[in-house]
Amino acid sequence: MDFIGIDLGTTYSAVATIDQYGKPAVLADCYGEKLVPSAVWFSPDGEVKTGAEAKDMLQLGEDVALFFKRYMGQADYTYTAGDKEFSAMELSAILLTHLKARAEEILGRPVHKAVITVPAYFNDFQRTQTVEAGRRAGLEVLAILNEPTAAAITYGINRQEGSRILVYDLGGGTFDVTVLQIESGQLKVLATGGDHELGGKDFDDMLIKHLARKFMADTGYDIEEDMEGLSDLTLAVENLKKQLSNRSSAVINVRSNGERRKYTVTRAEFEELTKTLLHTTQVICDNILSEAGLGWHDLDGALLVGGSTRMPMVYEWVAEMTGKRPLTGVNADEAVALGAAIVASMKARESLGAIGGRSKEDPRFQLAGRVRIADVMSHSLGTVAISSDGSKYVNSIIIRKNKEIPVTDRRRLKFRTRRGSDNIQTVYLTQGESTDIDKCLVVGKYLFHGIEHVDNPDGAVIEIAYSYDANGIISVEGRQLDTGRQLQVEKVELEDDLSWLYEAPKASNFVPMSIIVTIDESGSMCWRSAIEKACKATAEFIRQLPEGSFLITLQGFSDRQMNYCTFESNPEKAMAALAEIEKDTHSARIGYGNACEPIEKCHKQLLQAPTDNRILIILTDGIWDHKNKAIDEAEKAKADGIQIAAIGFGKADKKFLQKISSKDSLSILTSVDKLDAAFSSIAQEFSMGIK
Ligand code: AMP
């Protein structure tokens, strides 16, 4: 049973496999053609043509389905042929059926298994639709692989020396950037992103507009109104653009309404017309490098992938930014398909292991044993939550982008239950980086069934777990923490009308927590990086708090008290405050002891807090100067409804911690390396989750 790697491109597709000598190779047909146009044509009587045959129909003035990959997963896109309508997935399935049959003809044997590549920024729905298209074409989809990762595998497979590279992938309809670390066959993706509406087609469109304007000025005819003239021009323009990659000017004929004009376009003119597009790719590269915490000078080079990187302006710009000539050794048109074939052989080899079948010594599996891939996803995953002031819906991130996949992250939700009814909690899954819900995509709706009623005014606590699998496909699970039981999760259709997301949430009696975290800043905190660890654990704790469920302020105490921020609902501001605390504790600004009576001060501040759900978390590594006074102050605070948690490490005293905290389970004596666990147990005690 054979396997293939498929680069399912916007304009062209390619199929590769591993040959009998163990070498990845792109399949060429009997004319030596390796690239297949991503085109489908339907005749009025139901005949279907694909690939080059379909693209040829353009010259006959026929309407041909092109660039449909751009619309993958978009419900509002349909291609109409006669009385039938096709989604981008259905068109892709037709194209994949053709690619499979073509591969079988070239190889002379049946092919059933495939790895299919997708742009790195493809979302969950676009990925599942790609798998579905493969399935409909009769393929077992072994994996979905990110295109730039595939290209980097091809580049990195035979390189022993370590290098950090940027893959700049500008194809026909999409742009992807990925930063990777390569070391003896181990590939680690550091950050990835892109724009799925930017590619060679946009460069063509700029030329079309330019020539249409000239033609209009010369003849008075609008070629954009003339279907046939425009189809011809679309084909001719792509050719012109390609010619301009090799020479400094080229000639094009434009024909419409019986008029015919010849225009010369120079490369300089073309570059001027499209410089905004190139600039957009520059901004995206800069952003992704900064997400990886790198600058251009940290790179060993850039790898150019995708047909559009043949444009000299791309090459020149990348060379200028990296200070080096772009990396060579891979063919921009073939690299993605070749990488997919290598991963297909890896996956096929794994399945051989499982069934104990054919020998893994087969040369076609030799490469597979040498690669290890750690990929990431370019979207954060979150859920719809209510902002801390209850005024709007926000996006609350659960898995941050650029985390290595597969990955699972969890979040707690509070849920008020009713006795005797089927308690169902709805969770909306979002993709996006902003807390603004209108800048994110709502991609799924899940119902959590069978939540048991709990006699607790705070309600039940359920934990949702989001996962990205190795294909970047999402799964969602749920567990009720009060009972420890796994919940049944049902994925349901998203309603068409999500306009309620942009309206004010219905009044809720949910009260966000006002939290003070006060951190010991006495001299001993400088030792053995205690302050770094304390700040890191606090940061992780804040990151876990659902958006909208809290307002937090950070303070330091020693012989004096330092306020580092006001009550903030924005976690980033709290992170900035933590960085200040760390800096201060290391600098001359640190104090000594803990005589400033932090509990008394925090008590006063919490009485002024924005909400009356008040929590004080104390982090200390020492024995306090005025213990009895602190215990008295803690009692007063508790009497005012403030809940106190005390985490101690180093020389802290367990009995004292117990006395100042609201209950035993909120006092934890631990070591500086286990602060994360202490915070997480406190979070559990407070059932810190969203409603
Ligand atoms: P891909 O999706 O990677 O196959 O890239 C296809 C895109 O690359 C199409 O927009 C082509 O017009 C473009 N392309 C291919 N060859 C060249 C070339 N020599 N110069 C400029 N663009 C090219």
Side-chain angles (χ1 to χ4, degrees), residues 440-459:
C440 301
L441 205 63
V442 179
V443 289
K445 179 177 176 180
Y446 296 84
L447 301 182
F448 287 47
H449 288 278
I451 301 167
E452 279 179 32
H453 173 67
V454 282
D455 270 326
N456 174 348
D458 267 354

Side-chain angles (χ1 to χ4, degrees), residues 10-12 171-172 200-201 238 241-242 245 306-308 310-311 333:
T10 311
T11 40
Y12 293 95
K201 180 182 186 302
E238 192 187 353
K241 175 187 72 175
K242 289 184 183 170
S245 294
S308 300
R310 295 230 164 80
M311 293 185 291
D333 287 330

